[in-house]
């Protein structure tokens, strides 16, 4: 099931958007490839996600993605 939460803050001039989904398990054989792809896509200021959102489209100063690999639950967020 998908859930969407909208928080209206009319005094704000910008919006903060977060997408979170279930990540990959620590013992999954594709974990190294997943982490490498995530680093190339959205890790840090030089990532492709930041370049697309900031340089190409001019929507925001910074964007990133990250993986949380933990025994209690795995998540990927952007």
């Amino acid at each position: 099931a998908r859930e969407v939460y909208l928080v209206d803050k009319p005094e704000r001039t910008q919006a903060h958007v977060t997408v979170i989904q279930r990540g990959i398990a620590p013992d999954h054989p594709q974990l190294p490839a997943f982490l490498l792809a995530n680093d190339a896509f959205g890790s840090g200021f030089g990532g492709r996600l930041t370049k697309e959102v900031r340089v190409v489209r001019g929507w925001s100063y910074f964007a990133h993605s990250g993986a949380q690999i933990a025994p209690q639950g795995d998540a990927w967020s952007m």
Side-chain angles (χ1 to χ4, degrees):
R2 303 214 188 274
E3 296 181 28
V4 175
Y5 297 95
L6 299 175
V7 179
D8 186 21
K9 295 187 176 186
E11 69 279 2
R12 302 288 172 98
T13 59
Q14 295 183 350
H16 182 102
V17 178
T18 302
V19 176
I20 301 173
Q21 71 176 31
R22 185 140 169 76
I24 193 167
D27 59 348
H28 195 284
Q30 294 288 328
L31 180 63
F34 171 77
L35 294 175
L36 179 64
N38 182 72
D39 283 349
F41 174 69
S43 178
F45 203 71
R48 296 183 85 165
L49 180 60
T50 296
K51 287 180 184 174
E52 180 68 26
V53 170
R54 179 175 188 240
V55 177
V56 174
R57 302 187 185 268
W59 289 344
S60 177
Y61 182 72
F62 183 66
H64 65 93
S65 66
Q68 175 188 2
I69 310 297
Q72 68 272 20
D74 311 310
W76 178 80
S77 64
M78 174 178 69

